[in-house]
Amino acid sequence: MDADIIKWSNKEVIELLHKEKLSSVIVDICKSQDIDGRCLLCFVDRDFYDYPFDELKLGDRKRFILLVKKLQKNNRNAMCELGLYDDSLLNPATNINFVGTNLSHLSYNLHSQLQNELYGRTPDCVSNYTDIKASKLKPEIWKTAIALGYVFLVTWVTAVVMVIVHDKVPDMKKYPPLPDLFLDNVPHIPWAFDMCEITGSLLMAIWLTVLFFHKHRFIILRRFFALAGTVFLLRCFTMLITSLSVPGSHLKCEPRFYPPADDLTVWGRRLRQAYDIWSGAGMSVRGVRTCGDYMFSGHTVALTLLNFFITEYTSRSLYLLHILTWVMNMFGIFFILAAHEHYSIDVFIAFYITSRLFLYYHTLSNNQALMQSDSSRTRIWFPLLSFFESEVDGIVPNEYEGPMTILNNLRQWFIQLVTDVKTSSMAKIAGSKLQEGAAMGEYSVVKLVDGIKRNLSLVEEFKNSRQRLVTLDKNVQACLLDELPDTEARHRNIGDLSETLRRDFSNPPSPVMKKTK
């Protein structure tokens, strides 16, 4: 029916009106106004009250409205094909939307409910607005590596700050625990803090499992690193600014005093203690015990981040898993307070800051149009968001990969890596051969140039020798002419003289002739 209504003529519309037993007045109006199937799909509310339908009776008008709305509901794809879905669907301030509902007197909730009732869950049209999926999701592993380096740096700075604030912890005798509504009414449970860390470890195991099977694991992993690093960086400032007194008398906290030594030795010991805290992830089950790092709770930050990431990047149908993670989050917070390791304000501020930063980050990353419209402010206040989410233009879908798919991807990645290594090694060999060939060519060219220079020098030497021989020949001829007694001989042709001399020298006189003379 979706495709047929677009082809309806006025005659078929009239037949439908007769079939539905509508008023003859409506039939006459539709016939006179040449209303076809496309016109019925384009009807909006004001069309039912403007000319030529302004004179209809209330009952006739309502029946005609119901018929048109029913046709529009049953022909959603045809309306998409005609381009009748536009931005007015999302704008609750628009007076008239595409279905003809007057929104000037309706609330936004009523508007949304009306859309759901009239158009249901149409994936072809409405989903494009209500669930904007990202069109490009590049893994960008190098950005994830940068995020990992960022969180490593921040956690190291946090460990150093924890050592500093431990040395500044107020004296318990001079500064007793502050009044606290929860701590004053809940007795101290010694094993509660260990239970908090066990709960956090279970949440970490669930998160690593989700991360392993998620298709876009590198994107959500760098988001986790970026948020964790930012929250703990804020925690460094709050710990340094104000030193709170120890929340419980059961805690044996006192500043550490170092023996007389130079500053370099003292800071060397502090860095050693910071390394112990950093390598133990700040957990008491790993033997880490610190004081003074109260505002705000790092354990609450870890619990809340893990909970939010698990619920965000798993299917909405896994509501039992989401309930479990929320229960573990709340129980972990309760265990922190029951152990009297933090004040209630420490836990509350930690949960608030972590949850707000998570929501702000994902709201901006899921709505890239908002971020692009105010990109300069976003780069200033959320530099990590602008950098890490530059290639993500929408919501990251919760798509997962099975073990076989992961193994195949790893195998393809390994094959590609081996191919790249071979290609690079062959390129290096070819480059070395090319360099050798270039060196040999250069050597040949040098030899060729030297040979040409030698040949040119030989030619020049030959020319000089020839010139000297010509000069010598002329001098010899001149001397011979001077020795001849006959004056006419001096005027002979040099060529004849040369011929005579040649003949004389070739036929020297015999010794007998010399004697007779």
Side-chain angles (χ1 to χ4, degrees):
M1 187 176 182
D2 292 345
D4 294 339
I5 191 171
I6 299 178
K7 301 177 182 179
W8 280 6
S9 63
N10 177 255
K11 181 179 178 181
E12 291 170 318
V13 172
I14 299 302
E15 291 177 358
L16 176 65
L17 298 177
H18 284 299
K19 183 179 178 181
E20 296 293 332
K21 298 180 180 180
L22 294 184
S23 172
S24 58
V25 178
I26 299 177
V27 174
D28 294 338
I29 293 174
C30 291
K31 182 183 293 185
S32 61
Q33 299 296 326
D34 192 23
I35 296 177
D36 56 9
R38 295 189 178 189
C39 294
L40 289 179
L41 295 180
C42 296
F43 263 79
V44 294
D45 259 6
R46 61 172 175 267
D47 295 333
F48 299 115
Y49 298 94
D50 292 343
Y51 177 84
F53 296 97
D54 54 344
E55 299 296 333
L56 288 177
K57 295 180 180 179
L58 181 60
D60 294 339
R61 179 180 289 112
K62 294 300 182 182
R63 282 187 287 271
F64 184 55
I65 291 175
L66 291 175
L67 175 63
V68 173
K69 295 296 179 63
K70 181 180 178 181
L71 288 174
Q72 292 177 343
K73 179 180 179 180
N74 294 333
N75 294 274
R76 295 186 292 267
N77 293 335
M79 295 182 69
C80 287
E81 183 178 348
L82 294 176
L84 297 178
Y85 283 91
D86 55 17
D87 294 338
S88 60
L89 173 64
L90 294 178
N91 188 5
T94 307
N95 288 334
I96 302 296
N97 70 349
F98 71 96
V99 298
T101 305
N102 192 330
L103 301 179
S104 59
H105 61 284
L106 296 178
S107 66
Y108 177 73
N109 292 333
L110 182 59
H111 166 63
S112 301
Q113 180 181 0
L114 180 62
Q115 301 297 339
N116 293 331
E117 291 178 355
L118 291 179
Y119 294 97
R121 300 181 181 271
T122 308
D124 297 333
C125 301
V126 181
S127 63
N128 293 332
Y129 297 97
T130 59
D131 195 11
I132 305 174
K133 302 294 184 182
S135 61
K136 53 179 181 179
L137 293 171
K138 299 179 181 179
E140 295 183 299
I141 302 177
W142 64 278
K143 286 187 178 180
T144 305
I146 293 176
L148 178 61
Y150 170 68
V151 77
F152 275 163
L153 177 62
V154 170
T155 51
W156 172 251
V157 173
T158 302
V160 175
V161 172
M162 290 172 69
V163 173
I164 295 174
V165 298
H166 186 100
D167 296 339
K168 294 170 53 181
V169 64
D171 186 7
M172 296 180 62
K173 296 179 181 179
K174 187 176 181 181
Y175 301 97
L178 299 173
D180 188 279
L181 182 63
F182 188 91
L183 301 185
D184 293 343
N185 294 280
V186 175
H188 171 240
I189 303 176
W191 47 266
F193 201 63
D194 292 339
M195 286 300 300
C196 165
E197 294 184 345
I198 293 173
T199 303
S201 300
L202 293 176
L203 282 173
M204 176 61 75
I206 297 173
W207 166 237
L208 291 177
T209 304
V210 172
L211 190 66
F212 179 78
F213 291 103
H214 204 284
K215 183 178 180 181
H216 310 290
R217 57 185 66 86
F218 290 106
I219 296 177
I220 62 178
L221 186 59
R222 68 169 173 262
R223 290 182 175 183
F224 181 83
F225 289 153
L227 286 172
T230 303
V231 177
F232 277 97
L233 187 61
L234 291 174
R235 184 169 180 260
C236 292
F237 290 103
T238 57
M239 286 190 299
L240 279 173
I241 291 173
T242 303
S243 296
L244 299 178
S245 59
V246 180
S249 57
H250 66 284
L251 297 173
K252 305 302 180 182
C253 292
E254 57 184 10
R256 284 184 289 257
F257 296 99
Y258 301 97
D262 55 1
D263 293 338
L264 185 61
T265 304
V266 171
W267 272 105
R269 294 174 181 175
R270 285 179 174 175
L271 292 178
R272 177 62 187 176
Q273 294 168 358
Y275 176 76
D276 294 337
I277 296 173
W278 183 79
S279 60
M283 300 176 65
S284 62
V285 294
R286 300 284 300 274
V288 177
R289 299 297 300 181
T290 57
C291 298
D293 56 329
Y294 300 125
M295 180 59 69
F296 45 87
S297 171
H299 285 72
T300 304
V301 169
L303 291 170
T304 307
L305 267 182
L306 292 171
N307 173 30
F308 275 60
F309 269 92
I310 292 172
T311 55
E312 177 68 19
Y313 293 105
T314 53
S315 175
R316 298 295 179 266
S317 60
L318 300 176
Y319 57 90
L320 291 179
L321 175 63
H322 298 170
I323 293 174
L324 175 64
T325 57
W326 271 102
V327 169
M328 295 174 71
N329 189 2
M330 295 299 105
F331 266 92
I333 293 175
F334 170 77
F335 287 139
I336 294 173
L337 295 176
H340 290 202
E341 292 283 345
H342 278 280
Y343 290 105
S344 301
I345 188 64
D346 303 339
V347 173
F348 176 78
I349 293 299
F351 181 84
Y352 182 82
I353 290 178
T354 306
S355 59
R356 293 314 96 182
L357 278 179
F358 180 90
L359 293 176
Y360 295 158
Y361 190 100
H362 284 77
T363 300
L364 289 175
S365 61
N366 294 339
N367 297 273
Q368 290 292 326
L370 296 177
M371 192 176 71
Q372 293 298 329
S373 62
D374 201 4
S375 58
S376 59
R377 186 182 302 177
T378 304
R379 282 194 297 269
I380 295 173
W381 291 103
F382 300 96
L384 294 179
L385 171 70
S386 301
F387 176 69
F388 290 135
E389 305 298 328
S390 60
E391 296 297 328
V392 180
D393 60 351
I395 299 175
V396 177
N398 289 327
E399 300 172 348
Y400 301 94
E401 295 176 339
M404 296 304 299
T405 305
I406 296 174
L407 291 177
N408 289 332
N409 292 337
L410 289 175
R411 183 174 60 85
Q412 293 176 2
W413 176 80
F414 182 74
I415 293 174
Q416 184 65 32
L417 180 63
V418 172
T419 304
D420 293 341
V421 170
K422 288 183 178 180
T423 304
S424 61
S425 62
M426 292 178 64
K428 289 181 180 179
I429 295 173
S432 62
K433 294 293 184 182
L434 184 61
Q435 289 180 350
E436 292 177 2
M440 294 178 63
E442 184 179 0
Y443 178 76
S444 302
V445 170
V446 171
K447 288 293 185 181
L448 179 60
V449 171
D450 292 340
I452 292 173
K453 288 181 178 179
R454 287 196 299 270
N455 291 334
L456 291 175
S457 62
L458 290 174
V459 170
E460 188 68 25
E461 185 178 355
F462 173 75
K463 289 181 179 181
N464 295 333
S465 300
R466 182 178 178 184
Q467 186 67 28
R468 287 196 298 270
L469 287 173
V470 171
T471 305
L472 179 61
D473 186 37
K474 290 181 179 180
N475 293 333
V476 170
Q477 292 177 7
C479 292
L480 291 175
L481 289 174
D482 290 338
E483 292 178 359
L484 290 177
D486 191 358
T487 307
E488 296 179 357
R490 297 179 182 178
H491 300 285
R492 288 182 184 178
N493 192 313
I494 296 177
D496 297 339
L497 179 60
S498 299
E499 181 64 25
T500 304
L501 291 175
R502 184 184 62 78
R503 187 171 58 249
D504 292 341
F505 281 104
S506 62
N507 299 312
S510 63
V512 180
M513 293 177 63
K514 289 182 178 181
K515 288 182 179 181
T516 56
K517 289 181 179 179

